[in-house]
Amino acid sequence: MGCCNRRCGLIAGAVVGALVAILGGILFPVGDIIIQGTVEKEAVIEPGTTAYENWAAAGAKVYRQFWLFEVVNPLEVVEYGATPVVVERGPYTYMTRYLAKDNITFHLNHTVSFLLPNGAIFEPSMSVGAEEDKITTLNLAVAVSMFLFLILCSSSTNSSLFQRRTVKELLWGYPDPILKGDLGFFLDYNNTYDGPYDVFTGKDDIENVGKIDMWKGSRSLGFWNDEYCDRLNGTDASSFPPFVKKKDPLFFFSSDICRSVSASYERTVDLKGIDVYRYSLLPSTLASPLDNPDNKCFCSNMKTTKNCTLAGVLDISSCQQGRPVYISLPHFLHGSPSLRTDVLGLSPHEEHHKTFLDVEPTSGFTLNFAKRIQVNMMYGPSKVITVLKKVKDYTIFPLVWLNETATLDDETAEMFKKELISRIQMLEIIQQVLLGVGIGVFVLCLLGYFIVRRSHNKKELA
């Protein structure tokens, strides 16, 4: 009778263990469904969700560090046609994007429109010097005059190919005596707005959350005279649809470079205890059309781009009122070697000069990023403009490069881990414990049952 009770108890234990294991197994897909439903609900851009609270507010502090390029041999360049030699001066740091989104308006087609206020506050403690530091750099009026066919830079104007101005003047603007107007690297930045943007809220389809529907009232950029290059593709890079997959590139639009780009998975990084996927721009982003045919529609000037063979720069004059502005990665990273022989003193470094995004894969939120862009202008030989008569060829001259960065603070990181990461981990632990304990109890009880049964059989035979 006792033996029977033991066998019955072991069978019951095995059944219980099997049920516990089954429960643990069931929790895997059920848990995933719970997690997916919760994340998708909180990722929608509407009042009351986690996504909206982070999206609408100013969020993490965004800083722009500027390094300006100073010409060390201006006289030799002008008088003898020598190759310009530059040195990097910086960083000069400003806090930007410190204002919340403005004019937020929800629409019936599941989109929301808003404006991004622009502003810059100088941060002396994060800078190498004062805004009043003077830099010798390209005379912007000369380059603009040449490409806008303005015959203003004759010997009578006492103008030079290079000028010496303060950091503040060069970055944010100064009245130019030649063009009778204001010039500056980022003249239209302070006290202006970027947008309006119209983005999808994700209410009807979470795969579209954050994706740009319109910019400045249009679904096409209109800068490149091509459907592909004028396409608004992806988000503004602050977030992406949840459940990011490593194999899929991330697409985003940047008004700074007047086009959409993609970033590819590089590696997984630990960011304050949170696993994030690091995405970076591929060298093909600014490759010549010979290497990346998709870039053919970005090449508009055969002469200055050496028949569209020049890599590493993007002519954005079409969105800069005709000014000869070229965008590149800092120090012409991934650019044609000629860019660094036409102007000496540049030294590209992958880790220091690449653009990357650190995206938390479950939520799709960008928790850390570094956007690195170099602004250049072109000048070339001219028989009319006196200071360009000794210039031998078209030169893309580096003016400044910026590193725009933001990362979540410690408090936000802890909140993020508590509200999302810890809950997912807890559910996974419960799943694994139930499955492990259930299987363990089932196996032990089953083994115990066979041992007891074998012992009982031996006694009956004896």
Side-chain angles (χ1 to χ4, degrees):
M1 184 70 179
C3 183
C4 180
N5 288 337
R6 284 200 299 272
R7 279 184 290 172
C8 291
L10 289 169
I11 292 173
V15 171
V16 171
L19 291 173
V20 171
I22 291 170
L23 178 60
I26 291 173
L27 273 181
F28 276 100
V30 172
D32 291 342
I33 292 172
I34 293 172
I35 291 169
Q36 182 174 342
T38 302
V39 170
E40 289 182 356
K41 181 180 178 181
E42 291 299 316
V44 174
I45 302 174
E46 64 177 1
T49 66
T50 302
Y52 181 80
E53 291 175 6
N54 292 315
W55 174 85
K61 290 182 179 179
V62 178
Y63 293 98
R64 277 193 176 189
Q65 298 173 292
F66 296 96
W67 284 264
L68 292 85
F69 291 101
E70 179 157 37
V71 187
V72 298
N73 61 338
L75 292 179
E76 290 84 349
V77 175
V78 174
E79 294 181 7
Y80 307 110
T83 301
V85 180
V86 297
V87 294
E88 188 181 84
R89 294 275 302 274
Y92 294 89
T93 305
Y94 293 78
M95 184 171 68
T96 60
R97 297 290 185 218
Y98 52 87
L99 297 171
K101 290 180 173 66
D102 197 6
N103 199 27
I104 296 174
T105 307
F106 287 87
H107 306 288
L108 294 176
N109 64 342
H110 301 293
T111 64
V112 56
S113 60
F114 60 91
L115 294 168
L116 279 177
N118 294 325
I121 299 174
F122 185 59
E123 297 284 350
S125 64
M126 301 172 68
S127 305
V128 296
E131 288 185 293
E132 288 68 36
D133 290 352
K134 289 195 171 183
I135 306 287
T136 300
T137 188
L138 181 69
N139 189 337
L140 305 186
V142 173
V144 171
S145 296
M146 174 186 173
F147 279 82
L148 294 183
F149 308 102
L150 301 175
I151 313 305
L152 298 173
C153 300
S154 63
S155 56
S156 61
T157 63
N158 295 319
S159 62
S160 173
L161 181 57
F162 300 102
Q163 63 177 338
R164 188 165 179 80
R165 291 193 176 274
T166 67
V167 170
K168 185 175 182 179
E169 287 177 319
L170 292 171
L171 290 178
W172 311 119
Y174 59 90
D176 185 82
I178 298 175
L179 297 182
K180 310 299 182 185
D182 291 338
L183 289 177
F185 301 160
F186 304 97
L187 179 64
D188 298 326
Y189 188 82
N190 264 314
N191 302 315
T192 61
Y193 290 90
D194 181 15
Y197 286 84
D198 284 69
V199 304
F200 290 101
T201 64
K203 183 72 174 177
D204 60 331
D205 185 355
I206 198 63
E207 290 300 316
N208 286 332
V209 65
K211 291 183 179 179
I212 300 171
D213 181 39
M214 291 193 293
W215 180 65
K216 293 188 175 181
S218 176
R219 290 187 172 88
S220 178
L221 294 174
F223 298 136
W224 309 105
N225 296 317
D226 181 89
E227 183 180 351
Y228 174 80
C229 285
D230 278 325
R231 187 182 304 166
L232 279 166
N233 201 3
T235 72
D236 64 357
S238 62
S239 67
F240 299 89
F243 307 107
V244 173
K245 297 178 179 64
K246 295 178 183 178
K247 63 181 179 65
D248 296 333
L250 298 180
F251 294 90
F252 59 95
F253 165 71
S254 174
S255 60
D256 290 320
I257 62 174
C258 308
R259 62 165 287 190
S260 301
V261 295
S262 67
S264 297
Y265 173 80
E266 181 183 331
R267 66 181 190 271
T268 299
V269 179
D270 182 287
L271 177 66
K272 299 185 178 181
I274 302 170
D275 282 343
V276 294
Y277 292 172
R278 175 158 293 182
Y279 286 79
S280 56
L281 300 185
L282 295 176
S284 59
T285 304
L286 295 176
S288 77
L290 293 178
D291 298 315
N292 182 4
D294 287 341
N295 284 343
K296 184 172 180 58
C297 47
F298 291 118
C299 181
S300 56
N301 190 318
M302 299 293 285
K303 189 173 185 179
T304 59
T305 59
K306 305 183 190 306
N307 294 322
C308 293
T309 62
L310 197 64
V313 293
L314 176 68
D315 178 0
I316 63 169
S317 58
S318 58
C319 66
Q320 294 292 320
Q321 293 79 49
R323 295 189 292 266
V325 179
Y326 287 72
I327 294 297
S328 69
L329 292 175
H331 289 246
F332 296 123
L333 176 67
H334 302 152
S336 297
S338 62
L339 294 167
R340 293 184 293 277
T341 56
D342 291 345
V343 178
L344 302 178
L346 302 172
S347 181
H349 189 282
E350 183 75 25
E351 283 302 310
H352 293 161
H353 298 143
K354 71 178 180 181
T355 288
F356 68 84
L357 311 165
D358 288 340
V359 180
E360 198 287 310
T362 303
S363 65
F365 294 162
T366 300
L367 303 184
N368 179 50
F369 73 87
K371 180 171 71 175
R372 290 149 177 171
I373 298 173
Q374 183 169 296
V375 179
N376 317 275
M377 289 190 81
M378 178 176 278
Y379 65 88
S382 172
K383 295 179 181 179
V384 178
I385 301 177
T386 304
V387 295
L388 295 176
K389 289 183 177 181
K390 294 289 180 70
V391 174
K392 299 172 183 177
D393 199 0
Y394 289 100
T395 301
I396 296 180
F397 188 86
L399 301 173
V400 58
W401 74 270
L402 66 89
N403 179 28
E404 183 175 278
T405 60
T407 189
L408 79 170
D409 54 37
D410 294 338
E411 183 180 350
T412 306
E414 290 304 315
M415 182 274 292
F416 198 90
K417 286 187 284 188
K418 180 181 177 182
E419 296 297 325
L420 179 64
I421 306 300
S422 62
R423 293 183 182 182
I424 294 174
Q425 290 175 342
M426 181 61 68
L427 187 57
E428 290 175 347
I429 290 171
I430 292 172
Q431 292 169 344
Q432 292 166 2
V433 167
L434 287 175
L435 187 62
V437 170
I439 291 174
V441 170
F442 175 76
V443 171
L444 289 174
C445 288
L446 205 59
L447 287 173
Y449 170 78
F450 284 119
I451 291 171
V452 170
R453 184 178 177 182
R454 185 179 180 185
S455 175
H456 176 70
N457 289 341
K458 282 184 178 179
K459 286 180 180 179
E460 284 187 344
L461 289 172

